[in-house]
Amino acid sequence: MNHCLVIGQHNVGKTLLSFRLAQLCGMKSVFVLRELDSDPHLQQVIGVNEAIHSIIDGTNPRIVDVQTIGIGMSQEMGQPAILYDSVGLSEKFDDGLYRRRQMARTLDLFVSCDLVLHVVDASTLVTEKLSLIDTQIKSFARARRVPYVLVANKADLLSMRRQHRSHLTLRQDKPLFVSAKMDQGLTPLKHVLERTNMVNYSYPFWMRGVLN
Amino acid sequence: MCAYTTITPVKRVITLQWRRSPFDVTKTETIIDGFSRGKLSLSTSLEQLRQVYEGRFQRTIQNPASVVETLEPMSKMNTVDPVLTKQQLLAPLHDLIGLSGVKQSIDELYAYLAVQSLRSQAGLKLNKTVLHMIFSGRPGTGKTTVARLLGPILRSLGILSEGHVIEVERADLVGEYIGHTAQKTRALLERAMGGILFVDEAYAIARGGEKDFGREAIDTLVKGMEDRNHDLVVILAGYEREMKYFLSLNPGLSSRFPLHVFFPDYSEHELLQIAAVMVRERQYHLAPDATLSLRQQLRREQVREDFSNARTVRNIVERAVRRQAVRVMEQSEPTRRELMTLVAADFRGETDHESLFGDRSAQCWEDFA
Ligand SMILES: Nc1nc2c(ncn2[C@@H]2O[C@H](COP(=O)(O)OP(=O)(O)O)[C@@H](O)[C@H]2O)c(=O)[nH]1
Ligand SMILES: [Mg+2]
């Protein structure tokens, strides 16, 4: 059971991507747990398709809590995984202290998770470079030596030419261009999930994170 | 009596734990805490976190010897006077019938911890104590009872701050949905902080095989034990053979539970003593022939596969009490003496057997001791 963290700035499509991944892994409904400040956390089982539709239509109220989404992998892979759909990281705190605590929770997960899916919004890459926060997220994941994937979301908004250009400049980070809205290019992510799950399971728990 | 204890060398356990988290956990915690209270900006905290990890890899390469920890003194040690309180503390444990091997193990543990506290007062170096335990033995041999008594003992030694005991079993830890299990387990760990988390029939956690959420429960448990190194003792309990198998399947686990305490079956004599106490507690007494009949009944039960020691004794006694009631009702005017007497006939016949798993109503029988 791997703990995978979906991290990134806000409004880059982390929530939509998480639900898309659950859908891709064959989940019809998922167990979702919202980590609120109040003690009993909010737990519910929600339909994946409805969740996706409501995000795309914009009828979904914006969520500023860390939420845990449990997904099962395909039959042949066996091991399930947990996705943490985190809150967007940013320097501005319009929503005050609550938001800040949720971001601290995200950092907590960042130092302990087994896989990092770092989502950036491909359409707002300024001259195809990562912003300061994204660069820092990337270098922390590198320093921790945790399995890491850079996901450039919203590729549907880019012209072919611009996408090609970003590909070139981000070359060392091996970005994965996807569109969560159009459901394009997500299959490799599922394979990453499956592979890291398998790798981790061939070692006893206490050796994890030591060997890579 | 064939009770034994093994306290595996504690040093080996330390090295294993340090391989998993060779960096300073408190450092990352401080940074994140600073961020959540608005002292650090996001980019500063990310940068500082990165430096902690960069440092971690350099340090382990340069100085592999640093894995052997020098230890901080245990909390609140100075407040205990071990010699004075020993008798009072261990009295309830010694009052239990039988279990001489277990008592000896706990005595040893007590002496060890008490000496540790004296050493710390004298400013000497301490060994790190990992107190997670495995209690193996058949049902009804007193595992839960001893765990409940251990809470206060560890508390007065300053190892635990509360000393309460949270008793759980598979259904409390393992959830129905993916992600549910981790949540349930974490919540229980949270409740057990400062005390003992007693997992009954622990081998059953892994019963469901590879795809089961039991795996997740074990992972969360181990992770939680590591995150909260102090002020929590986890005890896994269950049949000896099943526990051995369970540990062999999870090699990471056995190194984290250095103390094994074996609870042997009670001897016939001890079972009779237990029965006598139970009968007395209920304000009955045994007619001379009843003792014989009870002894025969116990012999017959003892060879059964599902014999569960004190619990079976309780069932036998309670059944006899019920049959006595029926018998007495048939008499016109029973005397006080007749109301109290259990005779041989009350003990004859089959005993009811409860299912072996998940019996939690064992609480009644610890009061007898
Ligand atoms: N065009 C386009 N829009 C997207 C894509 N992914 C997400 N969005 C939109 O981005 C907005 C924010 O998505 P959300 O998942 O809530 O972002 P989060 O704040 O990172 O969780 C929503 O309105 C989505 O419809 C994509 O691949 N393409
Ligand atoms: Mg979101």
Side-chain angles (χ1 to χ4, degrees):
Chain A
M1 169 80 54
N2 261 352
H3 294 227
C4 315
L5 177 65
V6 182
I7 197 171
Q9 302 198 33
H10 74 140
N11 223 18
V12 294
K14 295 183 298 299
T15 309
L16 187 55
L17 186 90
S18 311
F19 280 110
R20 276 287 186 211
L21 271 175
Q23 191 184 39
L24 197 63
C25 294
M27 303 295 287
K28 294 271 184 295
S29 55
V30 285
F31 174 75
V32 174
L33 181 121
R34 285 224 215 120
E35 303 188 7
L36 308 177
D37 258 4
S38 63
D39 201 28
H41 297 324
L42 187 72
Q43 318 184 347
Q44 54 192 161
V45 175
I46 52 179
V48 173
N49 286 336
E50 294 91 87
I52 289 176
H53 283 306
S54 68
I55 296 176
I56 293 179
D57 301 345
T59 50
N60 193 29
R62 294 209 55 79
I63 294 164
V64 285
D65 312 307
V66 173
Q67 54 179 7
T68 309
I69 301 178
I71 59 174
M73 304 305 286
S74 52
Q75 273 302 308
E76 62 273 22
M77 295 307 299
Q79 283 299 335
I82 296 180
L83 277 184
Y84 285 98
D85 171 26
S86 60
V87 292
L89 294 180
S90 71
E91 286 289 6
K92 295 198 289 292
F93 305 102
D94 312 333
D95 311 315
L97 219 59
Y98 180 68
R99 177 80 185 283
R100 203 171 175 112
R101 272 200 299 272
Q102 289 291 332
M103 282 165 58
R105 175 73 184 119
T106 306
L107 291 182
D108 261 339
L109 291 169
F110 202 10
V111 298
S112 68
C113 63
D114 304 307
L115 167 69
V116 177
L117 300 181
H118 178 192
V119 187
V120 296
D121 185 345
S123 64
T124 59
L125 288 180
V126 189
T127 66
E128 283 73 40
K129 281 227 183 61
L130 293 180
S131 66
L132 175 65
I133 290 181
D134 285 322
T135 318
Q136 284 187 320
I137 291 176
K138 185 185 78 183
S139 44
F140 175 67
R142 289 277 147 83
R144 234 199 94 197
R145 307 193 186 179
V146 62
Y148 166 88
V149 183
L150 180 65
V151 183
N153 190 28
K154 307 200 185 180
D156 55 306
L157 298 178
L158 295 186
S159 62
M160 278 313 276
R161 217 163 112 223
R162 214 170 135 210
Q163 189 172 337
H164 191 67
R165 232 179 26 232
S166 340
H167 246 301
L168 281 181
T169 38
L170 291 176
R171 209 170 38 228
Q172 313 97 313
D173 305 325
K174 301 203 189 82
L176 182 70
F177 281 83
V178 303
S179 165
K181 191 172 173 184
M182 302 300 163
D183 198 7
Q184 281 163 352
L186 290 166
T187 328
L189 279 183
K190 182 187 163 198
H191 291 314
V192 169
L193 275 183
E194 288 176 342
R195 209 179 48 238
T196 47
N197 241 348
M198 269 212 311
V199 168
N200 260 350
Y201 268 82
S202 32
Y203 300 112
F205 178 88
W206 51 270
M207 285 171 80
R208 282 191 212 166
V210 178
L211 295 177
N212 51 41
Chain B
M1 191 148 305
C2 52
Y4 63 86
T5 336
T6 2
I7 300 186
T8 49
V10 180
K11 207 169 205 171
R12 188 166 61 89
V13 178
I14 297 173
T15 32
L16 289 183
Q17 286 187 338
W18 277 90
R19 284 186 72 177
R20 159 92 180 134
S21 42
F23 64 98
D24 206 342
V25 182
T26 51
K27 251 187 210 163
T28 57
E29 266 171 13
T30 321
I31 297 170
I32 295 175
D33 189 53
F35 171 75
S36 77
R37 283 190 287 124
K39 284 192 190 144
L40 299 174
S41 75
L42 179 65
S43 81
T44 334
S45 27
L46 274 171
E47 175 60 22
Q48 290 189 0
L49 283 174
R50 192 182 61 77
Q51 281 167 2
V52 170
Y53 275 86
E54 302 258 289
R56 155 182 111 158
F57 283 102
Q58 274 154 24
R59 203 173 51 228
T60 42
I61 292 162
Q62 284 165 1
N63 188 8
S66 69
V67 284
V68 181
E69 245 298 67
T70 46
L71 291 150
E72 71 277 20
M74 286 175 235
S75 56
K76 289 190 280 174
M77 272 301 198
N78 311 338
T79 58
V80 206
D81 187 347
V83 184
L84 258 187
T85 51
K86 178 172 177 185
Q87 296 310 327
Q88 302 161 357
L89 263 180
L90 296 184
L93 182 74
H94 284 281
D95 286 348
L96 293 178
I97 292 167
L99 295 178
S100 59
V102 174
K103 288 173 188 166
Q104 197 187 334
S105 315
I106 306 284
D107 275 350
E108 278 169 21
L109 181 67
Y110 182 90
Y112 173 74
L113 293 173
V115 168
Q116 289 287 312
S117 102
L118 290 176
R119 280 173 64 95
S120 94
Q121 282 168 26
L124 289 166
K125 206 166 148 183
L126 296 179
N127 293 317
K128 190 157 200 158
T129 23
V130 181
L131 286 179
H132 303 309
M133 303 177 208
I134 291 185
F135 283 7
S136 62
R138 294 226 266 176
T141 43
K143 299 188 290 292
T144 318
T145 315
V146 171
R148 288 197 196 135
L149 294 178
L150 212 52
I153 294 177
L154 292 181
R155 176 185 167 173
S156 54
L157 280 170
I159 307 286
L160 298 174
S161 58
E162 304 285 332
H164 60 298
V165 181
I166 305 271
E167 290 162 47
V168 299
E169 56 187 23
R170 184 188 149 92
D172 301 310
L173 295 169
V174 177
E176 295 155 64
Y177 314 100
I178 304 163
H180 198 189
T181 304
Q183 165 64 16
K184 281 178 110 172
T185 309
R186 232 180 289 133
L188 281 173
L189 278 171
E190 221 45 70
R191 266 179 55 203
M193 271 319 280
I196 294 179
L197 183 72
F198 182 82
V199 188
D200 212 358
E201 315 292 359
Y203 55 87
I205 296 178
R207 203 169 43 189
E210 267 297 293
K211 274 195 198 165
D212 188 73
F213 302 143
R215 184 81 204 211
E216 192 185 347
I218 294 171
D219 271 10
T220 316
L221 202 62
V222 172
K223 207 168 193 155
M225 279 161 52
E226 238 150 59
D227 293 349
R228 288 158 270 231
N229 232 328
H230 305 283
D231 214 10
L232 174 70
V233 168
V234 179
I235 298 179
L236 303 183
Y239 286 90
E240 201 196 2
R241 193 146 33 95
E242 275 84 347
M243 288 305 291
K244 278 210 177 111
Y245 178 65
F246 173 64
L247 291 176
S248 71
L249 285 183
N250 302 276
L253 268 185
S254 51
S255 59
R256 295 194 161 74
F257 290 86
L259 279 82
H260 291 228
V261 183
F262 176 62
F263 288 70
D265 280 349
Y266 288 107
S267 69
E268 188 188 298
H269 178 65
E270 287 160 353
L271 289 171
L272 280 173
Q273 269 181 295
I274 291 172
V277 175
M278 283 182 183
V279 168
R280 206 180 316 135
E281 283 224 316
R282 291 167 170 73
Q283 290 203 330
Y284 286 89
H285 69 86
L286 296 171
D289 60 335
T291 316
L292 266 179
S293 174
L294 173 63
R295 187 189 297 258
Q296 275 167 7
Q297 179 100 18
L298 279 174
R299 284 207 185 129
R300 226 175 314 130
E301 293 294 335
Q302 260 179 321
V303 295
R304 290 179 59 126
E305 186 61 22
D306 55 356
F307 174 68
S308 46
N309 290 286
R311 216 176 291 173
T312 304
V313 175
R314 188 193 67 209
N315 288 349
I316 293 177
V317 169
E318 280 178 354
R319 185 184 149 83
V321 166
R322 285 197 301 273
R323 300 184 74 179
Q324 186 253 14
V326 175
R327 185 169 53 78
V328 169
M329 279 300 282
E330 285 162 3
Q331 296 173 3
S332 50
E333 266 180 45
T335 62
R336 181 182 160 87
R337 188 166 183 81
E338 277 167 342
L339 283 173
M340 285 181 70
T341 310
L342 299 173
V343 301
D346 298 330
F347 285 97
R348 290 206 191 101
E350 271 294 297
T351 325
D352 329 326
H353 286 274
E354 356 181 356
S355 78
L356 288 182
F357 296 102
D359 174 81
R360 279 217 174 150
S361 54
Q363 275 150 10
C364 327
W365 75 263
E366 40 269 351
D367 313 329
F368 72 84

